[in-house]
Amino acid sequence: MGEEKKIDLSQFRDKFAREAKSRLGRLNGGLVYLEKNPTDAKLEGDILREAHTLKGAARMLGFSKISELTQGFEEALTRRRDKVIVANQDLTDALFITVDTLSRLVDALSQPPREPIDIESVLDRLKLAQIHVEAPVAREEPPPSPTAPPSPAAPPSPATMTGLPASVSLRSGRAGLGTGTSVDPARLESISNLLTNAVAHHQRELDLRERLSELGFFYRRTAAALLAAVQDGLAQGEFSPAFARRVAPFVEEGKSAFQEVGTQRSELKRRENVVAMALSQNLEELRSEVMVLRTIPLLPLFDSFPSMAGALARELGKDVEVLIRGGKTEIDRKVAEALTEPLTHILRNAIDHGIEAPDERERAGKPRKGRIVITATPKKGRVVLEVEDDGRGIDPAEVREAAIRKGMVSEKAAWRLDDRELVDLVFRTGFSTVKTMTGISGLGIGMDIVRATTERFNGTSEIHSDPGKGTRVVMELPFSMAVSRVLLFLSGEQFFALPIMHADGVHAFAARDVVMMEGRKSLRLGETPVPLVWLNRLLGLPDAREHGDRYMAVIVRQSGKRIAVVIDRVEGESEVVVRDLGKYLGKVPLFMGSTILGTGEVALLLDVHDLVTAVRMRPETSPEGVGEGSRPGIDADILVVDDSLLVREMQQRILFSSGYRVDTASGGKAALERLSGKRYHVVVAGARMAGMDGIQLLAEAGKTDYTRDLPFILVASKEHREDLVRARAAGAKGCVTREEFTPNRMSAMIGSILGRSVGG
């Protein structure tokens, strides 16, 4: 075998040094603020993300001392955040000393120091300053100085740390993007020509209006002369043929003038419309060209990833290739500058967690070399970024176990989540499936940056994973931040706007289309009910009008979640300039800004993340009677249990349409919780489920007097008919395949079990 090819990473040294100095400045400023506000958990998270990114870049480029020292800083602050150690003054001093030493190490990259920089003593001081909460505290933090400046009323925003210099923000480094604006001379010439044409069209429009004004003057002058002659004749009582002959020239001149005015006015109006259309088209082209000035191709950002990924893979004993597709795709410079950090974390996760070691891949029938593909695709005013690997994927069961272990969700709640909802927990701050912290993984910092970045630009982020085959992270972002394409609509008398990338359509529906799902009213949309909310009631606005039995809803999508927002009227799509709500109002929940419409009215732009969260957290907002009494009632409560959300919803819909009251549970453990709080007439459960399956659930229910005689119907797939035999042997009152789960079949079976005639 030939010698392994080495990649020269020295080209990134200067870029790393510039970015590191910027991050260290933010770390230092953040610590100053944290010292005055020791309970600011949001700020702690911002500082940790800065340190985590700095450590990752240093590790990729082989700056081991910087990486090791940043790791010590990160671990100490993580333990402080998690209340494992006491937040004392010694720890604060040690953190400041660590940042100072890191600054000296970064300076040493360009100017070697006279003496070696000792990091061991700094790491030792960090360790000594960490006093565990269980241990007696040696010294207390001194009380804040009476002269200390008061704390700000609001916490720092995700993008900046309050108290830092204006030039210091939590914005990501701009790998390869440059600091100036380079404009193609041909594009400048195009803009110059468009401006010249716009001025010429405008001048022609002014000339036409002046000509129309002259024709109007000629018309008024002729009419005035004719009127004067007639009035003069009337005054003298003269109606002789001689008078008619004297007036006739004025009449003829007037007729000619009227015809001329009419003809020329029509022609001038036609020409004015042509000029107006040309001017409008010209201005639209000009706007497009100017918008393009704000955009840059993504290739300079992507170029550094193959080398950096290769270095990390070699350190981990793996072999990885990174492929770039769609590098010429352009995006707003402001968005591009913020993408370095989230994309770096996605790559690090893919290499560390996803891509297997060569021998393991070979045993799994995969090529020894792993593959990561980064793709950028333009899509109707948006840019879709995808990072896909062919590694081991994400195991939902492992995610569930980690989420319970870290206390992010209760065990009861965790078992109610389907696979997609479980995988989405990866975006939560502090989440990691790794049990031991290393220099690369385990701190739970990384993927939350991906979600925070996309939401900052009103985009979306999703993870799709197939265990054993790979993972795909999708980020959808706006092409330009200068204007936003929105859906305009009315709720009451107020205009609202919704980013079009989050609108999945507008649907008319009737009260009978509303069903109860997971304890709240939902809109029956295809096979998947969607949580329903009345926007005016959510915002405390009055009802605008009587809807009768017909309603209209906008389907809103955000990070894989959908809600149906009831509105009064749709105004259509429009491109608008979004303005913030001003310093006085700041960030208002549910809103991200406003825009002024062509009519002069103000439309409020909804914050999709806040809206989806509010709908899923707040109580019912629908008017009374909606979705109630829309099917024949049968005095029987059914509990449907399955670990597939789609199966649960389909079975619930079938039983609901037959007149039953139906609740659902996402698994065996969740079902036991339901059974302990409510008496059901029948349980319908899947024979095969993750964790506790339907047969095990039946056995557990038989151990309790309260549920011992509860009838069970077990459902199996046609590929596993042997489960039906096991179900009958276990004592199930009924057995059916999913394909046989029809309204008539289930009504007959449940009616037979309950000893009554159901459904006629």
Side-chain angles (χ1 to χ4, degrees):
M1 295 178 63
E3 184 178 352
E4 182 182 8
K5 181 181 178 181
K6 299 292 184 181
I7 299 176
D8 180 19
L9 297 178
S10 61
Q11 57 180 310
F12 302 111
R13 178 187 291 265
D14 292 341
K15 190 183 301 180
F16 168 81
R18 289 195 301 271
E19 183 176 323
K21 288 178 181 178
S22 177
R23 291 191 185 282
L24 289 169
R26 295 195 283 273
L27 287 177
N28 190 72
L31 288 176
V32 170
Y33 187 88
L34 188 63
E35 188 176 19
K36 298 174 182 177
N37 302 270
T39 60
D40 194 333
K42 179 68 177 66
L43 180 61
E44 278 183 315
D46 289 339
I47 296 172
L48 280 168
R49 279 191 285 271
E50 290 287 319
H52 190 68
T53 303
L54 174 63
K55 178 192 68 179
R59 179 173 292 276
M60 284 187 172
L61 295 174
F63 302 138
S64 57
K65 286 189 175 181
I66 297 176
S67 175
E68 184 180 355
L69 195 55
T70 310
Q71 171 72 18
F73 176 96
E74 197 177 5
E75 288 181 356
L77 194 58
T78 298
R79 294 188 182 107
R80 180 189 186 279
R81 179 197 67 185
D82 296 341
K83 306 294 190 295
V84 176
I85 59 175
V86 178
N88 58 68
Q89 190 62 46
D90 285 343
L91 177 61
T92 301
D93 292 342
L95 292 172
F96 274 114
I97 291 171
T98 304
V99 172
D100 181 63
T101 307
L102 284 169
S103 298
R104 291 165 55 205
L105 288 170
V106 171
D107 290 338
L109 296 177
S110 56
Q111 184 67 38
R114 295 181 180 179
E115 298 180 359
I117 300 175
D118 177 27
I119 69 168
E120 295 302 326
S121 60
V122 179
L123 289 170
D124 289 342
R125 179 161 185 168
L126 266 177
K127 291 177 182 176
L128 290 172
Q130 296 181 43
I131 302 173
H132 285 265
V133 172
E134 294 79 10
V137 181
R139 54 183 289 188
E140 296 181 354
E141 273 191 280
S145 169
T147 59
S151 300
S157 70
T160 57
M161 289 191 241
T162 307
L164 304 186
S167 61
V168 178
S169 70
L170 289 179
R171 186 173 63 189
S172 170
R174 298 173 294 215
L177 298 179
T179 55
T181 301
S182 176
V183 181
D184 183 359
R187 182 156 283 157
L188 278 178
E189 183 178 356
S190 174
I191 290 175
S192 176
N193 291 337
L194 287 169
L195 281 171
T196 302
N197 290 338
V199 171
H201 286 315
H202 182 57
Q203 185 59 49
R204 286 184 62 197
E205 191 171 24
L206 292 177
D207 292 343
L208 287 169
R209 288 180 180 178
E210 183 177 356
R211 179 63 180 143
L212 279 171
S213 177
E214 290 174 357
L215 285 172
F217 174 75
F218 176 64
Y219 168 81
R220 288 191 298 273
R221 186 187 65 184
T222 303
L226 177 60
L227 180 62
V230 172
Q231 287 176 339
D232 183 55
L234 289 172
Q236 297 180 17
E238 186 178 357
F239 294 99
S240 64
F243 172 75
R245 287 193 297 272
R246 193 166 69 249
V247 173
F250 293 108
V251 174
E252 291 300 320
E253 185 178 1
K255 288 172 61 178
S256 299
F258 296 155
Q259 291 174 354
E260 175 69 13
V261 168
T263 301
Q264 292 205 30
R265 183 177 178 83
S266 297
E267 175 62 17
L268 289 175
K269 272 294 184 183
R270 185 190 65 78
R271 291 170 61 187
E272 185 181 31
N273 289 337
V274 171
V275 170
M277 289 178 62
L279 178 60
S280 175
Q281 182 179 355
N282 198 250
L283 291 174
E284 177 61 26
E285 292 176 5
L286 179 61
R287 185 187 68 83
S288 298
E289 288 287 348
V290 172
M291 281 180 59
V292 169
L293 287 181
R294 296 172 53 94
T295 65
I296 55 175
L298 285 164
L299 190 59
L301 169 66
F302 291 164
D303 270 347
S304 61
F305 290 140
S307 299
M308 298 169 72
L312 178 60
R314 285 192 297 277
E315 179 182 342
L316 296 171
K318 299 179 180 181
D319 194 3
V320 177
E321 64 173 339
V322 176
L323 303 180
I324 306 297
R325 295 173 181 167
K328 292 183 180 180
T329 300
E330 295 191 343
I331 198 169
D332 193 289
R333 176 180 293 271
K334 186 176 181 181
V335 179
E337 289 174 349
L339 285 176
T340 302
E341 192 171 1
L343 287 175
T344 298
H345 286 298
I346 294 173
L347 280 173
R348 285 164 55 81
N349 277 342
I351 297 169
D352 188 25
H353 298 294
I355 301 296
E356 309 94 334
D359 291 343
E360 183 181 347
R361 290 179 62 84
E362 197 168 46
R363 288 193 297 271
K366 298 181 180 180
R368 291 180 63 83
K369 177 181 287 189
R371 172 176 289 189
I372 300 174
V373 182
I374 304 175
T375 306
T377 309
K379 179 184 175 184
K380 293 184 180 179
R382 296 165 282 170
V383 174
V384 180
L385 295 176
E386 298 183 65
V387 182
E388 185 171 11
D389 68 70
D390 65 348
R392 59 172 57 91
I394 301 173
D395 183 359
E398 189 176 341
V399 173
R400 180 188 287 112
E401 187 273 331
I404 295 171
R405 184 179 71 245
K406 289 179 172 289
M408 290 184 165
V409 293
S410 66
E411 184 173 1
K412 175 182 175 181
W415 282 101
R416 290 178 178 172
L417 301 177
D418 60 26
D419 288 354
R420 183 165 185 170
E421 292 171 323
L422 283 168
V423 171
D424 200 59
L425 290 175
V426 171
F427 285 119
R428 293 273 291 271
T429 301
F431 181 85
S432 175
T433 56
V434 178
K435 297 181 180 179
T436 305
M437 289 189 296
T438 68
I440 298 173
S441 303
L443 292 166
I445 303 167
M447 293 305 291
D448 63 322
I449 296 176
V450 177
R451 175 62 55 85
T453 301
T454 54
E455 289 179 353
R456 175 150 52 100
F457 293 108
N458 205 34
T460 61
S461 52
E462 298 178 0
I463 295 182
H464 306 272
S465 185
D466 190 352
K469 295 183 179 179
T471 300
R472 180 166 56 95
V473 181
V474 182
M475 302 170 67
E476 196 167 315
L477 295 156
F479 164 75
S480 172
M481 298 301 294
V483 296
S484 294
R485 189 158 190 81
V486 299
L487 178 69
L488 289 171
F489 53 86
L490 276 166
S491 181
E493 301 299 322
Q494 175 63 50
F495 280 94
F496 293 94
L498 180 78
I500 202 69
M501 66 189 299
H502 292 287
D504 260 5
V506 179
H507 292 266
F509 68 97
R512 64 177 178 274
D513 297 317
V514 178
V515 298
M516 291 298 295
M517 176 60 64
E518 307 290 352
R520 69 170 302 133
K521 291 178 183 176
S522 301
L523 176 61
R524 190 162 52 198
L525 203 62
E527 297 299 332
T528 307
V530 178
L532 191 62
V533 62
W534 265 250
L535 183 61
N536 63 314
R537 290 174 173 247
L538 181 67
L539 300 177
L541 301 175
D543 291 333
R545 62 183 179 85
E546 291 295 330
H547 288 268
D549 189 46
R550 301 298 299 175
Y551 302 89
M552 180 181 294
V554 177
I555 308 303
V556 181
R557 172 178 55 86
Q558 197 269 338
S559 297
K561 300 181 180 68
R562 294 200 304 168
I563 60 172
V565 180
V566 180
I567 61 173
D568 289 317
R569 189 174 80 238
V570 173
E571 293 293 305
E573 295 183 23
S574 180
E575 284 191 343
V576 299
V577 177
V578 179
R579 310 169 189 272
D580 61 31
L581 297 175
K583 295 181 179 179
Y584 181 76
L585 290 176
K587 176 65 176 81
V588 178
L590 297 177
F591 301 104
M592 63 175 297
S594 63
T595 187
I596 300 176
L597 305 179
T599 59
E601 294 175 284
V602 175
L604 297 173
L605 187 65
L606 294 168
D607 186 312
V608 177
H609 178 260
D610 285 2
L611 183 63
V612 172
T613 302
V615 170
R616 291 179 172 266
M617 296 294 291
R618 293 192 184 186
E620 189 64 60
T621 63
S622 62
E624 292 183 7
V626 175
E628 300 169 3
S630 57
R631 73 296 188 260
I634 297 177
D635 189 22
D637 292 283
I638 311 295
L639 177 63
V640 171
V641 188
D642 201 284
D643 58 354
S644 167
L645 176 62
L646 179 60
V647 172
R648 288 200 305 274
E649 291 175 347
M650 289 180 64
Q651 293 178 357
Q652 182 190 38
R653 181 175 175 181
I654 289 171
L655 295 173
F656 184 87
S657 67
S658 297
Y660 297 105
R661 296 185 296 271
V662 187
D663 290 332
T664 62
S666 59
K669 292 186 177 180
L672 290 176
E673 291 283 344
R674 286 274 192 179
L675 293 173
S676 66
K678 180 177 178 179
R679 181 177 293 276
Y680 292 91
H681 294 86
V682 177
V683 174
V684 178
R688 293 198 177 198
M689 295 187 291
M692 181 185 296
D693 62 28
I695 295 174
Q696 293 170 325
L697 174 61
L698 174 58
E700 286 296 318
K703 297 177 182 179
T704 306
D705 292 339
Y706 184 72
T707 56
R708 180 172 293 124
D709 297 325
L710 180 61
F712 271 70
I713 297 175
L714 293 186
V715 186
S717 65
K718 64 180 180 180
E719 292 83 6
H720 299 287
R721 286 186 175 273
E722 66 274 13
D723 290 341
L724 301 180
V725 178
R726 294 172 51 232
R728 291 189 184 95
K733 297 294 185 182
C735 299
V736 65
T737 65
R738 288 179 178 173
E739 293 73 20
E740 297 167 341
F741 201 106
T742 62
N744 290 341
R745 177 71 181 270
M746 296 310 298
S747 291
M749 184 177 292
I750 294 173
S752 174
I753 290 173
L754 298 179
R756 66 184 76 168
S757 175
V758 181

